[in-house]
Amino acid sequence: METRQQPQQKNTYRQNLVLITSFFILVSLSFLLALFLAYKFTQRFVEGQFDSEKAKVLDKTIEPYNEFVNSEIPKFSLYQGFLDSVSIAKVSKDLFRRYSFVNSLVFYDLEISNHKIITGLTKDHFSAEFKSIYKFNKHHSTELLYSRKDRVFNYAPVIESDFSSALLKFISYVEEVDTNRVTETSQIFNTYYSINDNKISFLNVPRRQEIRTYKEFFGSEKQAPSAVYEQDLMVFNLNPAALRIENTNPQLYQHISIHSFMFDSLSTDRRHYYTTGISLPGAFSDYQLYFISSRDFLNREIYRIFTPLAIGFIVVYLLVLFIAFLIFRNLNINQKLFKLQYDFINNLTHEFKTPVSVIKIAGDNIRSSDSLTDRERLNYGRILNEEADKLNDLMTKLLSFTQLENKSIKLKYSTINLEVFCQNLVDAYHIKYPDFNVEYHIEDIEHFETDAVLLNSVFTNMMDNAYKYSPPGNKFLNINVKRQRKSVVFRFIDQGIGIEKQELENVFKKFYKVENEFNRHGSVGIGLAFCKEIVNFMNGEINVKSKPGKGSEFKIVLPLRKN
């Protein structure tokens, strides 16, 4: 029952309240500022990605177009101008199937010579004439626009314009080309390709020998009639809206569409939407990819990136608070330990000083007295004996406590008769405290193998506390001993002053006590702590139940030793 109130504990916390509050506010403000800056950084990062990642979408979307221009169209040169309507029809079907953006193909079957012609294009003795023109549509039948043989004239001016544009470039190239040198790729592209709005024209690339022959057509007035050379001109009409848009970043771009530059993107409410655009290349240069995402949609991406950062900051914040709590708790524990040690020294000094003072007074009286009566001699002897026992008991208890904590002693088992053990203690305390009423009851067990010395220390501490903390006229203790399965249960039930509920968890702490009217003579605060240490050393357990003003019940459970 040796407990101690802590009236100065509140003052201790109050002294640190300003520092604790200041630290908590500073850490919390830093945490909130870090969260705010992290969110703003994430927001700017996502918005920056919204503007920069569009190039990847463009590259992926325009990939089939680049393949068509750089790989498929040059294959027509392999036919060396000998394509006809049947073969080009098969080729066109394959192109329409593989490239959704190719709407139609206009095929010109040309002849190059130095002959005089009626329709076509002539410069000096160079003549280019189309024998037939076919148009292959994606979703319609093939159209015959012109046939010299069948005298079909069904082509529009735009058809003749495409022909003239492509052949004029070719004629200029033939006039200036150096046939002794390999033509560069860029020059071939500029000569044989014509890229306009939604349209690509391609004239198949002739062999170098044919170029030399064509070049000779720009010469003297008199030339023998040449052979007729076959050339093919293909005009591909493209539809940019049919491009398959590849959204490589669906978490950023909610909607992607293709619009002309005339599209009014300002009609989109900028308060609720993010928008951006990027131009399409080549034949689609009048169009752009238009990206639009609602702010709510983009906020989900912001929160997706921000959430791990926020969790990281929260973990760091809680870790800092936890470390601060540990530091603060350790400081308080150290402060409490310092006060406990201070109280322990004071109490121990008092405990030693009182018996020493009594012994000194008794000794001085004996020394200064000329003669002592038998009664005085017996009285002084009793006083000296009692005070010496107090000092010896205190020193023994402190020494045993230290040995138990350091595990420097061993249990010395012996078999005791519990009836005899309890009766001897009751008789001794009846002699010591005549007003102390102690009863005991033993059930289902007679002998118990244990360390009798340590068990005796537990009993004497329990009986001393029951007597010390009970009011006069009601000093009563009931001891119940009962076997329970493989254990022996000891209950010490008194009718003393009891223990406050908030103190129950502290009663077994070393140097812990509470000052009250029943504790005027002082206490070192190791009695119950000593009992708990003994019980733990004997592989048992101890607990307490108590009500202020009603009394306390201490329960000790010790294991039966296996034979």
Side-chain angles (χ1 to χ4, degrees):
M1 276 182 220
E2 299 180 354
T3 60
R4 182 177 60 167
Q5 292 178 340
Q6 299 181 10
Q8 297 180 352
Q9 189 177 19
K10 294 183 179 179
N11 294 333
T12 301
Y13 286 113
R14 190 175 294 114
Q15 292 172 2
N16 294 281
L17 183 60
V18 175
L19 179 60
I20 295 170
T21 304
S22 301
F23 176 80
F24 178 75
I25 292 174
L26 178 61
V27 172
S28 298
L29 289 177
S30 301
F31 167 69
L32 294 175
L33 179 61
L35 281 181
F36 174 77
L37 293 177
Y39 177 79
K40 286 297 182 183
F41 170 79
T42 304
Q43 186 180 39
R44 291 184 180 276
F45 173 75
V46 172
E47 289 175 355
Q49 274 198 319
F50 186 82
D51 287 329
S52 62
E53 291 294 313
K54 60 187 178 183
K56 294 182 180 179
V57 178
L58 173 65
D59 292 341
K60 197 67 177 176
T61 300
I62 211 68
E63 192 174 278
Y65 169 81
N66 292 331
E67 178 187 331
F68 174 71
V69 173
N70 298 320
S71 300
E72 291 299 325
I73 292 180
K75 291 180 181 179
F76 286 99
S77 294
L78 299 176
Y79 296 97
Q80 291 299 313
F82 290 102
L83 280 171
D84 56 21
S85 59
V86 177
S87 57
I88 197 64
K90 294 179 181 180
V91 172
S92 63
K93 286 181 181 180
D94 183 60
L95 291 177
F96 294 150
R97 180 180 57 83
R98 293 167 56 196
Y99 301 101
S100 59
F101 53 86
V102 180
N103 252 6
S104 63
L105 166 61
V106 179
F107 171 69
Y108 298 78
D109 190 5
L110 307 181
E111 290 181 344
I112 305 295
S113 66
N114 61 359
H115 303 173
K116 290 183 180 182
I117 59 175
I118 300 175
T119 59
L121 191 64
T122 301
K123 184 175 182 182
D124 293 341
H125 294 283
F126 181 91
S127 299
E129 181 182 12
F130 41 82
K131 296 188 297 182
S132 59
I133 304 174
Y134 289 88
K135 184 177 183 182
F136 300 91
N137 298 296
K138 188 171 187 178
H139 301 295
H140 303 284
S141 58
T142 303
E143 299 179 55
L144 178 61
L145 303 182
Y146 173 81
S147 175
R148 184 177 61 190
K149 177 181 178 182
D150 299 328
R151 303 185 64 82
V152 175
F153 304 94
N154 193 26
Y155 60 88
V158 66
I159 299 297
E160 189 170 2
S161 174
D162 292 337
F163 166 78
S164 301
S165 176
L167 267 295
L168 286 174
K169 287 173 61 176
F170 179 65
I171 290 171
S172 299
Y173 166 74
V174 171
E175 284 185 302
E176 299 174 2
V177 70
D178 183 358
T179 56
N180 295 318
R181 298 176 58 186
V182 178
T183 306
E184 296 179 358
T185 303
S186 60
Q187 192 174 14
I188 291 176
F189 189 85
N190 293 330
T191 302
Y192 297 99
Y193 285 85
S194 294
I195 299 178
N196 301 309
D197 298 342
N198 305 331
K199 184 185 295 185
I200 299 177
S201 299
F202 177 73
L203 181 67
N204 72 280
V205 181
R207 294 185 290 266
R208 187 183 301 183
Q209 181 59 43
E210 292 174 345
I211 295 294
R212 291 195 183 100
T213 302
Y214 297 162
K215 193 174 182 62
E216 293 174 357
F217 294 162
F218 301 97
S220 59
E221 290 291 334
K222 294 182 179 181
Q223 290 188 5
S226 67
V228 176
Y229 297 90
E230 295 288 337
Q231 287 287 130
D232 293 327
L233 173 64
M234 278 69 63
V235 178
F236 302 93
N237 294 301
L238 311 179
N239 178 19
L243 283 170
R244 291 192 181 95
I245 297 173
E246 298 287 343
N247 189 353
T248 59
N249 215 328
Q251 67 269 22
L252 281 179
Y253 304 118
Q254 188 176 10
H255 300 291
I256 307 175
S257 55
I258 297 175
H259 295 284
S260 69
F261 277 102
M262 300 300 293
F263 176 71
D264 184 12
S265 62
L266 296 177
S267 61
T268 303
D269 187 354
R270 297 301 177 89
R271 294 173 300 176
H272 300 96
Y273 293 92
Y274 289 92
T275 60
T276 187
I278 186 170
S279 300
L280 294 171
F284 305 136
S285 58
D286 285 343
Y287 290 80
Q288 65 172 338
L289 282 176
Y290 181 66
F291 301 82
I292 181 170
S293 296
S294 67
R295 290 189 177 271
D296 290 339
F297 180 84
L298 214 58
N299 283 341
R300 286 199 290 269
E301 176 66 8
I302 294 173
Y303 289 129
R304 186 185 70 83
I305 299 175
F306 173 70
T307 298
L309 295 176
I311 293 174
F313 282 119
I314 291 173
V315 170
V316 172
Y317 173 70
L318 294 177
L319 183 62
V320 170
L321 290 183
F322 180 69
I323 293 174
F325 167 75
L326 293 180
I327 294 174
F328 177 73
R329 188 189 68 170
N330 288 339
L331 290 176
N332 281 336
I333 290 174
N334 290 336
Q335 189 176 17
K336 291 176 184 178
L337 287 176
F338 173 78
K339 192 173 189 312
L340 285 175
Q341 291 173 354
Y342 178 78
D343 292 343
F344 170 72
I345 293 173
N346 283 340
N347 295 330
L348 189 64
T349 302
H350 181 270
E351 290 291 318
F352 275 101
K353 184 177 180 181
T354 300
V356 170
S357 298
V358 173
I359 292 172
K360 187 175 185 305
I361 293 172
D364 289 341
N365 289 339
I366 294 172
R367 186 180 60 183
S368 62
S369 178
D370 293 334
S371 63
L372 296 174
T373 65
D374 291 340
R375 181 179 179 182
E376 289 175 333
R377 182 175 55 80
L378 291 173
N379 187 44
Y380 283 131
R382 180 181 60 80
I383 292 173
L384 290 173
N385 189 55
E386 288 179 354
E387 298 304 322
D389 286 341
K390 288 182 181 179
L391 288 174
N392 182 65
D393 180 65
L394 182 60
M395 294 301 298
T396 300
K397 191 177 291 184
L398 289 173
L399 179 60
S400 299
F401 205 131
T402 303
Q403 290 175 333
L404 287 170
E405 285 186 323
N406 295 330
K407 308 293 184 184
S408 59
I409 62 174
K410 294 183 178 180
L411 291 172
K412 298 179 180 179
Y413 286 99
S414 63
T415 302
I416 63 172
N417 186 304
L418 288 172
E419 180 76 26
V420 175
F421 179 83
C422 291
Q423 187 62 52
N424 289 339
L425 283 171
V426 170
D427 293 341
Y429 270 83
H430 183 69
I431 296 172
K432 186 177 181 180
Y433 304 119
D435 60 337
F436 191 20
N437 183 16
V438 182
E439 298 179 355
Y440 68 89
H441 178 70
I442 302 173
E443 184 179 349
D444 295 336
I445 188 169
E446 182 178 356
H447 295 89
F448 180 42
E449 189 174 3
T450 186
D451 189 312
V453 176
L454 293 180
L455 186 63
N456 183 77
S457 297
V458 173
F459 267 71
T460 55
N461 272 281
M462 289 295 167
M463 297 173 77
D464 282 340
N465 281 343
Y467 181 83
K468 183 177 181 180
Y469 293 99
S470 295
N474 195 29
K475 295 186 180 294
F476 171 82
L477 176 64
N478 183 26
I479 303 174
N480 289 322
V481 182
K482 182 178 180 180
R483 176 172 179 169
Q484 198 171 71
R485 296 182 181 178
K486 297 182 180 180
S487 302
V488 180
V489 180
F490 301 86
R491 283 186 170 88
F492 299 85
I493 306 169
D494 64 44
Q495 296 177 0
I497 61 174
I499 305 170
E500 297 290 341
K501 185 177 181 180
Q502 63 270 20
E503 300 288 349
L504 289 177
E505 62 181 16
N506 299 317
V507 295
F508 296 110
K509 291 182 179 179
K510 188 166 57 175
F511 309 139
Y512 195 92
K513 68 172 188 172
V514 59
E515 300 294 341
N516 54 51
E517 59 179 318
F518 297 93
N519 202 17
R520 295 189 295 270
H521 302 292
S523 173
V524 182
I526 62 172
L528 289 177
F530 182 54
C531 287
K532 182 175 178 63
E533 198 69 31
I534 292 176
V535 171
N536 289 340
F537 187 70
M538 298 172 73
N539 298 318
E541 57 182 48
I542 182 171
N543 54 64
V544 59
K545 294 188 295 184
S546 183
K547 289 184 178 180
K550 299 292 184 179
S552 303
E553 177 184 339
F554 287 87
K555 177 183 176 182
I556 298 173
V557 181
L558 295 177
L560 282 171
R561 192 179 184 197
K562 296 180 180 179
N563 295 326

